[in-house]
Amino acid sequence: MADSHIPASSDKAGATSPAPAVTRAAAVLDALAASATGRLTLSDLSREVGIPKSSTSNLLLALEEARLISRQGSEFTLGRKLVELGAAYLGRMDEVQEFYRYCEQASVLSRETVRIAMLDGTNVIYLARYEGHPAVRLTSNIGDKMPVSLCAVGKALIARLRDHDLEEMFPDDAELPVLTPKSLHTGAELKAQLKEIREQGFAFEDEESTTGVVCLAVSVPTRGAHGPSLGLSVTALKATYTPEQGSQMVKELQELAHSLGNPMG
């Protein structure tokens, strides 16, 4: 179908935005980030954003000039400028800097793989990763997203939500994403586990996202009504993990969480 035949109502991004070009540019970056291969053609992006190819081409040219995307033959990928921007954002988060400082001197966590994550709807985004020795490398990296139901830190964070909010997000019959035989399958299973998390003060994930890996997590006390919801997690190999080790991990995670949430002590 020719571009001129695309109705205005098909413009999915920017239709009601005060700055449509910015909204469409963000939609392009989101589409590239969500792509399984990390690469999309002009036609792909035109469909994703919902605007004619000619308009999409101009948008891509501007993004390429700003180094926000990169052209590789007939395909486009995210640009290195985004790494610089992301690093600048994280570098200005006091919580991330304190996270690294604490992990380096902690008696237990300094030898483990520890991460800090932020709640983003029904997902978490990992903001930083401290790698002890040896690192558990079969887990999420900085910038990765993970459904909350699949990770300890996600469950620790949503355990803080009100019951009616949880009901809207996860009805009993809601089907949850599954990665391993131990992944939770329904909203009812998730909410039952959240009750346990509230009672014990931390979340435990037993091979639910990665076979052979367990994870413990706590939430960081919220600093202000509009502050980001942050959580901390530590991973360990199931074959060598012990409850005694877990207790020590949780103790230090809670100490770090208190430090991040209450910087004045």
Side-chain angles (χ1 to χ4, degrees):
M1 182 180 293
D3 292 344
S4 60
H5 294 166
I6 298 176
S9 59
S10 69
D11 185 349
K12 297 184 290 185
T16 60
S17 171
V22 175
T23 302
R24 292 166 183 161
V28 166
L29 298 178
D30 284 339
L32 288 171
S35 170
T37 62
R39 301 166 180 265
L40 292 173
T41 65
L42 170 61
S43 297
D44 295 332
L45 290 166
S46 177
R47 285 193 299 271
E48 288 289 334
V49 181
I51 59 176
K53 286 184 181 180
S54 57
S55 300
T56 305
S57 179
N58 291 333
L59 187 59
L60 295 176
L61 179 60
L63 289 171
E64 188 178 6
E65 289 179 350
R67 296 171 48 229
L68 294 172
I69 65 171
S70 176
R71 186 194 304 262
Q72 298 185 8
S74 63
E75 297 177 316
F76 296 87
T77 66
L78 294 176
R80 294 183 179 179
K81 182 68 174 181
L82 295 171
V83 178
E84 298 173 16
L85 295 174
Y89 169 76
L90 293 174
R92 286 163 176 77
M93 285 189 69
D94 292 340
E95 293 90 346
V96 170
Q97 302 309 309
E98 175 60 22
F99 164 80
Y100 282 118
R101 282 193 294 267
Y102 182 93
C103 289
E104 287 171 357
Q105 56 81 39
S107 59
V108 176
L109 296 184
S110 62
R111 303 190 301 270
E112 308 295 341
T113 301
V114 193
R115 290 165 295 174
I116 183 169
M118 180 172 64
L119 186 64
D120 181 33
T122 58
N123 298 300
V124 296
I125 302 175
Y126 291 97
L127 303 178
R129 172 179 171 129
Y130 174 85
E131 293 193 351
H133 307 284
V136 180
R137 299 188 181 278
L138 300 176
T139 54
S140 300
N141 295 305
I142 297 173
D144 286 351
K145 277 191 176 184
M146 177 73 76
V148 293
S149 62
L150 285 171
C151 57
V153 69
K155 288 183 282 191
L157 285 168
I158 63 171
R160 298 169 48 180
L161 300 178
R162 296 185 180 91
D163 287 339
H164 72 268
D165 291 327
L166 288 171
E167 288 295 336
E168 289 184 5
M169 295 169 65
F170 303 103
D172 286 350
D173 59 353
E175 295 184 5
L176 304 178
V178 173
L179 288 180
T180 76
K182 292 191 175 183
S183 299
L184 301 179
H185 287 76
T186 67
E189 292 177 343
L190 174 61
K191 286 179 288 187
Q193 199 172 99
L194 294 180
K195 291 180 181 179
E196 297 178 12
I197 293 170
R198 288 170 174 170
E199 292 173 359
Q200 63 192 16
F202 66 92
F204 178 71
E205 174 205 332
D206 186 7
E207 299 183 285
E208 294 164 44
S209 62
T210 305
T211 299
V213 174
V214 299
C215 186
L216 298 105
V218 302
S219 61
V220 175
T222 301
R223 190 189 307 174
H226 303 291
S229 295
L230 300 176
L232 303 163
S233 65
V234 56
T235 52
L237 295 176
K238 178 74 176 282
T240 58
Y241 173 80
T242 65
E244 293 74 22
Q245 177 189 19
S247 297
Q248 294 175 325
M249 290 176 171
V250 169
K251 179 182 178 182
E252 290 192 353
L253 284 179
Q254 290 174 333
E255 288 177 356
L256 175 54
H258 177 78
S259 174
L260 296 179
N262 301 279
M264 302 304 293

